[in-house]
Amino acid sequence: MTSTPSHDRAIERYNAKDAEPRWQQAWDAARLFETRNDDPRPKYYVLEMFPYPSGRIHVGHVRNYAMGDVVARYKRARGFNVLHPMGWDAFGLPAENAAMERKVNPREWTYANIATMKKQLQSMGLSLDWSREIATCDPDYYRHQQRLFLDFLDKGLVTRRTAKVNWDPVDHTVLANEQVIDGRGWRSGALVEQRELTQWFFRISDFAEDLLSALDGLDRWPEKVRVMQKNWIGRSEGLEVRFSLTSAPAGVDDAVTVFTTRPDTLFGARFLAIAADHPLAATLAADRPDLQIFIEECRRLGTAQAAIDTAEKLGFDTGLTVRHPLDASWTLPVYVANFVLMEYGTGAVFGCPAHDQRDLDFAIKYDLGVTEVYRPAPAQDPTPEIFEKLKESFEKNPHVSLSYIDKYGYLNEDYIDFFRITSRAFEIGGNEKYTTDNSLTKEIEEFGQLKEDFIRILQKVKEHERDGEFLYTNPIPGCPRYVTSIKEAIEAAISECENRKVGKRKIQFRLRDWGVSRQRYWGCPIPIIHCDACGPVPVPVADLPVKLPDDVSFDVPGNPLERDHAWRNVPCPRCGAAARRETDTMDTFVDSSWYYARFTAPWLQDAPTDRGAVDHWLAVDQYIGGVEHAILHLLYSRFFMRAMRETGWSGVSEPFAGLFTQGMVVHETYKDAAGAWVPPAEIRLDNEGGTRRAFHVGTGAEIAIGPIEKMSKSKKNVVDPDDIIASYGADTARWFVLSDSPPERDVIWTEEGVQGAARFVQRIWRLVNLAAVTDGQTRAADAPLRKAAHKALASVEEDVERLRFNRCVAHVYTLANALDEALRTGATRTIAGEAAGILVQLIAPMMPHLAEECWQALGRDGLVADAPWPQVERALLVEDEITLPVQINGRKRADVTVPSGADKAVVEAAVLADEAVLRALEGRSPKKVIVVPGRIVNLVV
RNA sequence: GCGGACGUGGCGGAACCGGUAGACGCACGAGACUUAAAAUCUUGCGGCCGCAAGGCCGUGCGGGUUCGACUCCCGCCGUCCGCACCA
């Protein structure tokens, strides 16, 4: 007997509003997500980047946490002891801005936001261990950060020095290099000024080499992020070389040191250029008003960036000259130039106009001349006669062609092609493809038995392709006149300079130390007391935390800590004399650099971490967050783990073994006739006849649909998760953000999409309820259903592991369709119930509340959130029969069905007996039959 | 300028290691149920030709390798992202 899913039984609609809080309470009551450190099961640490408590969560958070929750719930079902904590990145400027604008206390404002957002997150039904919740603004958190600071200081990982810093005139604070984007503050957008201040620095550059090389081991990080960090660290190898001044003015070094990655072009040097901030420039400017003016101008233009491309290269001739390090008879003029950066290398460069566009521009402008060092080897195309000769001779005897290479000294594309042809002719390549570079390498690897000569030719081809060939017109001593590799020349130049003691090999990094001092109130106080006699003295560990004062006012701009004399004036811990607290607080990126480690034992009172817990849980197995933190947060955290290792607080050095950067949630924009932005909540969409139109709900006026953009308050294209959860439920919202796009790409939030998700929630509910009571008797319907269930199960497993949630969603739909079909064709209750159970478990990580409700409807015991993951029956995944497409000359002409294990001969016979095949062959007999077992058959006629 | 990613129906996307292009969803069309609507169900849905069977074309463009190319190679075009006077 058959039943129609929708009609024969009245099933109440699934009521998310009622069910969701009920199941959230059930999970809480069972303390399901509280994780114990001593649990013997294998650990799995899944973490999403913790939010800043700005006020309310946004859909971006929903997407981020939904993804993390899928992983957490799945891994839990797979038998892992999962750590999935949540906290608050709670220090930062918005709290102070709110204090100034609304006269609220930053602490109260922050904690109120935390309360709101926590409620919102809880309404999403996330499997979080709230017992480990931390807020970085809590003294119980930042006291340990102060301890780490002191320990780092003790180990020499923190220094204090005067430095030119990026000053944000709007936020009244210093910014790290990483926080200056296009010369503007990352938060305020104000043009950054340069100021000279005494600052605390974390010596991240001490770890530059390790931070760089360890990137290779982070194979579960996106390539993109690794490349960005690699570029940011910016390692370059080269030479530091001294150009001695012909006559040094009093009070300056008698030489200018220059860093170069191209010492092989030293003999192309025509001038020396130093930065406007170079000490030599400063000294000279003391009694040179015109130079002083020039330097001022450079500074003004310096960070303005407006259009560095169009900015003219400007120089100022100091009148000084230097001697060439390799030939004292050469002298070169010294310029102050606006394109030289004091922050990189030594703040001085030598200009080689022949081989650098920028140097050439400068040399032309100031008439400094050009000396050529390299000239490309002359291109000699082989005449057809020569080519034929080569070919012929190779065919006769591969060795002969060597003499041609020696004789003509060139290798060009034709020649390379020639080798491909000839090598195939000799059947040394077999079926292998010949591509330019890889295959040549492969060739060398695979055919190691080839005659040495041949290998030599191939290698020479490769070198040619990589470096070109150059004639060294003005060679460095000890370097051949003719080079195939620039590297060779560079090496020669470095050894020559080292031999003559005018320079030394140098590895230069772009990465600078991390300045952490911030002239702000709402941050972690730096635990230092300044004493006139003793200098900066660390606060004794016993006196921690240095707590922020609570009663502060923001009536005047600037840092209220500086005005709080009661807080500020304290005796020196060393000598007891009157002293002052450090009033700077730490960059908030410090707070987020180790919170994931604190989560492993957040209850500890006396220490930042417990070594056992940290070493057990770290590295985080799966970290998920926005790509905007690719450099700042992720690099700082990597530094922090290393610093904590040095100070004994951790035994690991990489915090995040797996990293995933999810895309944004974007939305259409809407503009009314007056050009004002209209929020989606006020829009009614009409899709009549496939044409999308938007109307205002209130006025009915047509609204223009604009481009899809990142959700922003200014364009009002924002949807509030609370509204979505209120009208559709958390599961619908979670399902939608996981469903439409691959997780690393942006997802477009659409009303239609959300409604589709909501419909599916009801459909699952209906199907599961029908499966629970179906009285079907058609055994034939059972087998395909079981097969479909286990196929979906296997596919979801694979795709969750690879975080391809959009594909998981598709597999679930496919199983739902199969269950629907099976119910309609009368599958038995046992099998329908089993399949429905699998379906429920598959959706459980994504739509946990609905899954519980369904689990109950199926009469299963306990909570699905606590149920072990079902076992795939591999036998069901194997088909008995398989339908193979048959191609004739690469075009599909027929299908044949054969037993799945059939060997080639059987398949071939079946194909050649097939009617459709015979018809398509039109009496021709195939020249060749290609059978790819289990895949395809192709007949060549 | 340097580096990276991407380009597939009306839309989001799928297609494993080179083996039936368009899974799954959204939107849309036709139909059923309904007084009606919603919900639900059935069905169609890359383009062109055809009543149909079927055929031809089709994964940004142009070439190539292969029995066979969205996938590999060469050369273009376009979009997005990151870095950018880095010596």
Side-chain angles (χ1 to χ4, degrees), chain A residues 898-917:
Chain A
V898 294
S900 68
D903 64 23
K904 287 190 181 188
V906 175
V907 174
E908 191 172 330
V911 166
L912 293 175
D914 187 82
E915 240 178 83
V917 173

Side-chain angles (χ1 to χ4, degrees), chain A residues 212-227:
Chain A
L212 180 70
S213 58
L215 283 172
D216 290 336
L218 297 175
D219 52 353
R220 289 177 51 227
W221 278 40
E223 179 64 17
K224 179 192 167 105
V225 174
R226 289 194 295 182
V227 167

Side-chain angles (χ1 to χ4, degrees), chain A residues 267-278:
Chain A
F267 277 119
R270 297 295 307 216
F271 64 93
L272 218 68
I274 61 174
D277 297 323
H278 195 279

Side-chain angles (χ1 to χ4, degrees), chain A residues 63 90 144 172 179 251 295 354 378 418 443 565 619 639 747 767 867 900 931-932:
Chain A
R63 192 177 192 208
H144 302 298
H172 295 283
Q179 291 160 350
I295 291 172
F418 161 67
E443 170 97 13
H565 297 289
F639 157 73
V747 64
L767 285 172
S900 68
V931 179
V932 184

Side-chain angles (χ1 to χ4, degrees), chain A residues 557-725:
Chain A
N559 183 355
L561 294 178
E562 281 177 30
R563 302 188 300 267
D564 190 335
H565 297 289
W567 181 83
R568 195 180 165 186
N569 295 327
V570 288
C572 169
R574 196 165 292 164
C575 71
R580 301 158 312 281
R581 283 196 191 283
E582 168 71 65
T583 56
D584 285 352
T585 55
M586 290 184 218
D587 182 0
T588 55
F589 277 101
V590 178
D591 311 340
S592 54
S593 292
W594 70 287
Y595 76 107
Y596 49 88
R598 181 68 188 169
F599 274 138
T600 64
W603 48 79
L604 281 186
Q605 287 296 307
D606 304 328
T609 62
D610 173 78
R611 265 303 285 276
V614 163
D615 293 358
H616 171 67
W617 284 111
L618 293 181
V620 172
D621 296 279
Q622 188 61 63
Y623 197 36
I624 307 178
V627 73
E628 66 272 19
H629 294 109
I631 296 173
L632 299 178
H633 163 56
L634 293 169
L635 190 59
Y636 292 154
S637 295
R638 297 182 63 221
F639 157 73
F640 237 79
M641 281 318 279
R642 284 164 172 77
M644 286 171 73
R645 187 193 58 203
E646 306 265 303
T647 49
W649 294 112
S650 161
V652 284
S653 19
E654 284 297 339
F656 313 117
L659 173 70
F660 187 83
T661 53
Q662 100 272 4
M664 293 184 299
V665 182
V666 293
H667 199 288
E668 275 181 339
T669 49
Y670 308 102
K671 245 181 190 178
D672 66 18
W677 300 105
V678 183
E682 294 170 26
I683 293 291
R684 182 176 57 81
L685 289 168
D686 190 309
N687 218 343
E688 192 66 34
T691 318
R692 236 177 122 71
R693 297 171 75 190
F695 299 91
H696 195 273
V697 204
T699 64
E702 179 149 13
I703 303 287
I705 300 179
I708 294 164
E709 292 188 53
K710 179 182 177 174
M711 288 192 188
S712 73
K713 280 179 191 146
S714 62
K715 293 191 175 157
K716 293 193 179 168
N717 59 338
V718 182
V719 291
D720 186 343
D722 267 4
D723 296 347
I724 307 299
I725 292 174

